[in-house]
């Protein structure tokens, strides 16, 4: 089972993008879903997470106030709205589901799984 991320692209600094993550029915509404990103030569880093209820969110300090995570139950989709994008936001973005046994508050990519191929976001200066 893999989560399918889409919506990436090339955007100028200060612009916006919305990423979508389609969550299979076996996972949607059952596990917290998170967005991570990975730039070339760097480790995968936490961006945002939303509880399976959709009621609680958490963000990396680097994106607080600029990014917003949300979900749409009818579409089994989790979104990441990204505003005021910066060149340092350039990375491949992945969505993952919290592994069973994982707990709220973890930002480690090792605690998430069902990764898909991700979607590339490139921000030009």
């Amino acid at each position: 089972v893999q989560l399918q991320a889409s919506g990436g692209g090339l955007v100028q600094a200060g612009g916006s993008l919305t990423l979508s993550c389609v969550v299979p029915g076996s996972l949607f509404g059952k596990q917290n879903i998170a967005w991570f990103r990975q730039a070339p030569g760097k480790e995968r880093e936490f961006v945002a997470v939303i509880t399976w209820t959709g009621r609680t969110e958490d963000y990396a300090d680097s994106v607080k106030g600029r990014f917003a995570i949300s979900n749409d139950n009818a579409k089994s989709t989790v979104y990441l709205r990204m505003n005021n994008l910066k060149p340092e936001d350039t990375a491949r973005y992945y969505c993952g589901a919290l592994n069973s046994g994982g707990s709220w508050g973890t930002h480690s990519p090792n605690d998430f799984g069902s990764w898909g191929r991700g979607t590339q976001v490139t921000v030009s200066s």
Side-chain angles (χ1 to χ4, degrees):
V1 176
Q2 290 186 330
L3 281 63
Q4 300 299 325
S6 63
L10 174 63
V11 64
Q12 288 188 332
S16 299
L17 280 174
T18 297
L19 306 183
S20 300
C21 174
V22 177
V23 182
S26 58
L27 293 175
F28 193 85
K30 299 180 178 65
Q31 294 293 348
N32 299 346
I33 301 297
W35 286 96
F36 283 75
R37 64 189 182 187
Q38 189 166 16
K42 295 188 176 181
E43 294 185 349
R44 191 167 295 190
E45 66 171 357
F46 169 78
V47 175
V49 62
I50 190 167
T51 56
W52 65 271
T53 61
R55 294 174 185 164
T56 306
E57 306 150 23
D58 187 23
Y59 298 91
D61 289 341
S62 60
V63 306
K64 278 181 182 176
R66 299 189 298 123
F67 290 12
I69 190 171
S70 62
N71 63 8
D72 184 331
N73 291 339
K75 298 182 178 179
S76 297
T77 300
V78 174
Y79 300 99
L80 184 69
R81 174 67 177 176
M82 305 185 295
N83 296 322
N84 191 22
L85 282 160
K86 304 176 181 180
E88 51 263 43
D89 295 317
T90 295
R92 193 159 190 87
Y93 284 69
Y94 300 85
C95 51
L98 185 67
N99 294 329
S100 58
S103 58
W104 176 256
T106 179
H107 293 174
S108 171
N110 295 328
D111 291 329
F112 292 82
S114 301
W115 305 107
R117 293 188 295 177
T119 186
Q120 178 67 34
V121 173
T122 302
V123 185
S124 62
S125 56

